[in-house]
Amino acid sequence: MKPLVVLDVDGPLNPWAAKTKPANYRPFDIRVGWWRKLRIWLDPDHGDQLRRLADETGAELAWATSWSHRANTEIGPRLNLPPLRVIDFHDEHGWKYPAVARHAYERPLVWFDDDFGLHRDRNRDFVHKRRHLTTALIHVDPATGITARHLGEARKAFSSNP
């Protein structure tokens, strides 16, 4: 089965917690109603880096973000990413874990997110249920966004696929 790379937006791609934005990040204003704009920061190189990761590992990229389907209209185009599958989790009581588990099923998984520490018991249960599969939950500091180290962790996880 094709491996899966799951992406959150805020934190991994938009380093919302950075006092000074990391190098190469550019501001984008996104309309969130007729009266308001939201400023986010994105590194345009992330699109190429994530596509290269997917190509090298044979993985599918997918969104698991509160941006939901807007990730494909607001984030993806700014990173030069094609439309990606969206993992909807809005009705889940277990944060994103149940929805990601259903979508990933028996596939090797790398997941970039900044919120793994919020639900430690659910995190532990998720990893335990997938112990027979490659499962790399890569915590991304929301002050730095995805770095070369995170991408290296993903490659290493897929190369050690059991």
Side-chain angles (χ1 to χ4, degrees):
M1 293 182 125
K2 194 172 196 169
L4 180 63
V5 174
V6 175
L7 303 165
D8 182 23
V9 171
D10 292 319
L13 297 174
N14 172 30
W16 59 266
K19 302 250 186 277
T20 302
K21 299 306 178 206
N24 207 38
Y25 280 78
R26 295 182 33 221
F28 294 93
D29 291 326
I30 296 176
R31 189 165 300 283
V32 290
W34 64 269
W35 70 96
R36 190 171 149 232
K37 291 180 185 173
L38 172 68
R39 174 154 287 178
I40 64 168
W41 293 79
L42 300 171
D43 178 347
D45 289 341
H46 275 151
D48 288 339
Q49 293 166 356
L50 291 165
R51 281 194 323 279
R52 194 166 37 256
L53 172 65
D55 289 345
E56 290 170 5
T57 61
E60 171 193 1
L61 298 172
W63 301 112
T65 173
S66 58
W67 285 82
S68 189
H69 292 274
R70 285 193 76 182
N72 278 324
T73 58
E74 302 291 351
I75 307 302
R78 288 172 169 88
L79 299 177
N80 199 23
L81 287 172
L84 307 178
R85 185 168 305 202
V86 175
I87 301 172
D88 287 313
F89 59 91
H90 58 276
D91 63 344
E92 302 295 345
H93 297 289
W95 187 58
K96 299 176 187 179
Y97 293 113
V100 171
R102 282 191 301 276
H103 186 77
Y105 188 53
E106 291 289 312
R107 299 195 277 173
L109 170 69
V110 165
W111 182 357
F112 296 106
D113 209 301
D114 63 322
D115 287 332
F116 293 126
L118 295 179
H119 308 278
R120 293 190 192 283
D121 292 340
R122 292 181 184 129
N123 181 304
R124 191 173 36 254
D125 291 345
F126 179 83
V127 171
H128 179 73
K129 288 175 183 171
R130 292 183 51 86
R131 67 188 173 279
H132 63 290
L133 297 162
T134 295
T135 303
L137 306 185
I138 300 176
H139 177 266
V140 178
D141 184 335
T144 65
I146 292 174
T147 64
R149 181 182 59 80
H150 299 113
L151 295 166
E153 286 180 47
R155 284 181 176 85
K156 183 176 179 183
F158 283 144
S159 70
S160 63
N161 188 3

